[in-house]
Amino acid sequence: MRKEAAVRFSGVSFAYGSTPVLEDVDLTIGAQQMVCLVGPNGGGKTTLLRLALGLIEPRRGCVEVCGLPPARGRRRIGYMPQQIDFDAQFPITVREVVAMGRLNGARPGFLSRRDRAVVDEVLAEVDLDGVARAPFGSLSGGQRQRALIARALAVEPEILFLDEPTAMVDARSEARLLAKLRDLHSRLTIVMVSHDAAFVANLVEKVVCVNRRVSVHPAQELTHGMIHELYGDSMKAVLHDHDAGNVSGHRHG
Amino acid sequence: MAELRAILVDSEFVFVRYAFIMGVCASVAFGMVGSLVVARRVTYVAGAVSHAVLAGIGAAVFAQRSYGWLWFDPLFGAVLAACVAALLLGLARFAATEREDSVIGAIWSVGVAVGLLFFAAAPGYTDPMSYLFGNILLIGVRDLWLVLALDAVIIALTVLFYPQLKAVCFDEDFARLRGVPVRMAYTLLLLLIALTVVLLISIVGMVLVVALMTLPAAAAGRFTRSLWQMMALASVFCLVFVTGGLVLSFRADLPTGPTIILVAGAGYALALSVRSVARIFAPQAQ
């Protein structure tokens, strides 16, 4: 039986004011696929995620998450945003950040016993149980990244969105993250934004190039020169072979 | 301490007893909402609401004197104006295309101007000093009950919706993904700030509100690692600052509002110093 698409964009266009960011995007991400969005800054990668999360509305076209409008389907998504957006001085512990994943709408009150168990479990899963009571702002870049991944996992999602999971992460943390994502892939659909094409090439089969339009490619070795030609950017290791396979999309350029 | 105890049970100084009860009870609300204000960095919102309140107070004074609407207490006027200002700020954030800081500036100054015009138009002379700088010692038993009711509402709403308020303050987008009605939660935060401002005005007046809302929370933030800890410690600090200022002003025959603020300022400076010294002598990480 055909599995329902996890995320589907049909003829989607979006603009910030008069500046077009995405044009006529058709993209389907199947259930339990691991997909990476790559492309230059301002190309529309994060905008694609935000559209799927229902945080912004498309000017044209339709977005679906698990067959539902984003506002209804997004409860099934665990989202790790770029950590640069956070106030490091906000008085909040690592455990409290992760516990935000267990928020349930406007329901008043505090965490249930099950919520607490899930929070403990995901903290242990990302090896942060030792610093659970430390202030979030006191963590290193890599630890914060893992805390935000734990928060996304605390949702118990069907789909995981990771926006720049390797930014500010050292080589050791990157290797651990790689292993973690491989493990998660067995049970989740994973969509990530990354500039680190070497990291991506080792992890995903398909790469979605986003630069106002999208095109889908298998991830293989690619030279600097070819990437530079496509994006004018210093991406490292993705081969653009226009075999869309299970992931479908339009070529750009 | 013994002297304070003697004053509190002395029937001649019943106004001090009211002031003390109010200071103690309201400190919890100040600590809670002040912590949200400091954590979310919306001190300027509290400033705008506190000044807009003068419009409501002025309207109440005008209505009482011109039309004999004695039921329209200045405290009701203050609550009304504070809530309207909070709702306008919420509208500016979520619905208007106008810059939020421009709206804050407009509410801040227009509120004061409207209030002063109402005072000028009301028959007889109105001394705005007690509204501007507060006088906790003028609080009557009716005011006390009203203020305690406001206090209870603020504490109940903050405790009940603590997870949502914290989430909206820390990461609005993620809160939205988890189904939190972000606009409603942010508007609740603004209304809590508005009601707390009204409580504070009775104690320190509208000009000094921002200081008593933020200094205890900012001082508490130096020693705590989570929002609820900050709220608890800020409430304790607020209690110490208000009662300390009250005792000092009573003994030295000084105006209560400014004395409380000076005590709070000294407390904040002390907290900064203690933290800085502790940091200097803390073992260095290798």
Side-chain angles (χ1 to χ4, degrees):
Chain A
M1 202 175 87
R2 183 180 165 272
K3 278 189 176 177
E4 188 181 56
V7 184
R8 191 193 307 273
F9 295 85
S10 312
V12 169
S13 297
F14 182 81
Y16 286 109
S18 57
T19 312
V21 180
L22 293 169
E23 278 179 23
D24 201 22
V25 170
D26 285 307
L27 176 67
T28 302
I29 298 168
Q32 293 202 312
Q33 284 192 333
M34 177 135 58
V35 171
C36 185
L37 312 182
V38 297
N41 286 334
K45 305 182 296 292
T46 299
T47 301
L48 264 184
L49 291 191
R50 292 177 69 78
L51 281 164
L53 291 165
L55 296 172
I56 48 178
E57 297 282 328
R59 286 268 173 100
R60 250 196 348 262
C62 168
V63 185
E64 285 176 29
V65 175
C66 301
L68 298 166
R72 283 172 60 205
R74 66 190 176 192
R75 295 285 283 269
R76 303 179 187 192
I77 300 174
Y79 173 48
M80 190 213 87
Q82 289 184 44
Q83 61 167 305
I84 202 159
D85 299 337
F86 293 99
D87 175 2
Q89 291 192 340
F90 193 94
I92 192 164
T93 63
V94 177
R95 195 172 197 286
E96 286 177 304
V97 170
V98 175
M100 278 178 65
R102 303 305 298 170
L103 262 176
N104 186 4
R107 187 188 68 184
F110 292 84
L111 296 180
S112 68
R113 187 177 293 176
R114 177 159 187 283
D115 291 334
R116 290 197 297 269
V118 171
V119 170
D120 289 337
E121 195 182 310
V122 292
L123 275 167
E125 214 172 336
V126 296
D127 295 329
L128 285 180
D129 38 352
V131 290
R133 298 196 185 283
F136 179 71
S138 71
L139 298 187
S140 69
Q143 284 176 316
R144 276 191 215 180
Q145 217 116 30
R146 278 187 281 148
L148 295 176
I149 291 174
R151 182 178 70 166
L153 292 175
V155 170
E156 295 186 296
E158 291 171 34
I159 306 165
L160 197 56
F161 279 5
L162 306 172
D163 198 346
E164 301 280 6
T166 54
M168 298 171 71
V169 167
D170 60 26
R172 210 176 107 221
S173 300
E174 190 174 298
R176 285 166 72 175
L177 180 62
L178 192 75
K180 181 81 238 162
L181 291 178
R182 280 206 178 102
D183 177 39
L184 290 170
H185 180 36
S186 60
R187 55 184 157 111
L188 299 176
T189 305
I190 300 179
V191 181
M192 67 177 120
V193 169
S194 183
H195 278 297
D196 187 349
F199 173 79
V200 166
N202 288 325
L203 197 60
V204 302
E205 317 93 54
K206 303 290 176 190
V207 173
V208 179
C209 296
V210 188
N211 193 7
R212 226 154 108 173
R213 292 172 182 273
V214 301
S215 60
V216 183
H217 315 279
Q220 291 168 25
E221 289 301 315
L222 185 70
T223 62
H224 270 289
M226 289 169 75
I227 287 290
H228 187 79
E229 197 178 318
L230 276 167
Y231 288 99
D233 202 5
S234 57
M235 303 286 289
K236 288 181 287 188
V238 183
L239 177 62
H240 287 198
D241 168 348
H242 293 269
D243 168 17
N246 288 330
V247 182
S248 59
H250 288 306
R251 289 187 65 169
H252 61 85
Chain B
M1 203 62 197
E3 188 188 6
L4 177 66
R5 215 176 304 141
I7 292 169
L8 288 178
V9 295
D10 192 329
S11 58
E12 274 190 41
F13 296 111
V14 68
F15 56 91
V16 179
R17 194 186 309 158
Y18 291 159
F20 184 78
I21 293 170
M22 183 172 159
V24 168
C25 295
S27 289
V28 181
F30 299 162
M32 288 177 134
V33 178
S35 297
L36 289 168
V37 167
V38 170
R40 184 65 171 79
R41 298 178 190 255
V42 285
T43 306
Y44 48 87
V45 166
V49 171
S50 67
H51 285 73
V53 155
L54 198 65
I57 294 172
V61 169
F62 179 78
Q64 280 187 336
R65 294 199 190 151
S66 299
Y67 302 108
W69 294 3
L70 296 178
W71 54 268
F72 195 18
D73 193 276
L75 193 64
F76 289 143
V79 171
L80 201 65
C83 290
V84 169
L87 293 174
L88 284 175
L89 287 166
L91 209 62
R93 178 164 171 73
F94 292 114
T97 50
E98 188 59 35
R99 285 171 57 110
E100 197 180 356
D101 58 339
S102 306
V103 178
I104 286 169
I107 288 175
W108 189 305
S109 42
V110 170
V112 173
V114 169
L116 291 176
L117 284 177
F118 270 126
F119 283 146
Y125 173 70
T126 308
D127 180 9
M129 286 298 279
S130 65
Y131 300 119
L132 292 175
F133 300 104
N135 193 347
I136 194 173
L137 300 180
L138 291 181
I139 288 170
V141 68
R142 185 165 163 271
D143 296 325
L144 185 63
W145 281 115
L146 282 173
V147 161
L148 291 183
L150 271 184
D151 192 41
V153 169
I154 292 168
I155 293 169
L157 287 174
T158 309
V159 170
L160 211 55
F161 295 105
Y162 173 79
Q164 285 82 5
L165 288 167
K166 182 175 67 180
V168 167
C169 288
F170 179 66
D171 186 351
E172 223 169 78
D173 281 350
F174 195 84
R176 188 173 285 123
L177 299 185
R178 297 308 304 146
V180 174
V182 166
R183 291 180 182 194
M184 210 186 285
Y186 189 75
T187 306
L188 173 66
L189 173 64
L190 292 175
L191 289 172
L192 287 171
I193 293 171
L195 295 179
T196 309
V197 160
V198 176
L199 280 186
L200 283 162
I201 281 175
S202 310
I203 297 180
V204 291
M206 50 177 276
V207 174
L208 303 174
V209 156
V210 169
L212 195 54
M213 188 174 267
T214 54
L215 291 177
R222 313 296 294 184
F223 304 101
T224 52
R225 52 183 62 184
S226 72
L227 188 58
W228 72 264
Q229 290 173 348
M230 188 176 176
M231 287 177 166
L233 191 58
S235 300
V236 172
F237 281 166
C238 199
L239 178 65
V240 171
F241 298 159
V242 170
T243 50
L246 200 61
V247 171
L248 193 63
S249 73
F250 188 75
R251 291 186 64 168
D253 195 21
L254 294 168
T256 47
T259 310
I260 288 170
I261 296 303
L262 276 185
V263 170
Y268 177 60
L270 187 66
L272 288 185
S273 314
V274 168
R275 198 76 186 104
S276 302
V277 170
R279 202 166 283 169
I280 290 167
F281 289 105
Q284 295 294 308
Q286 292 301 307

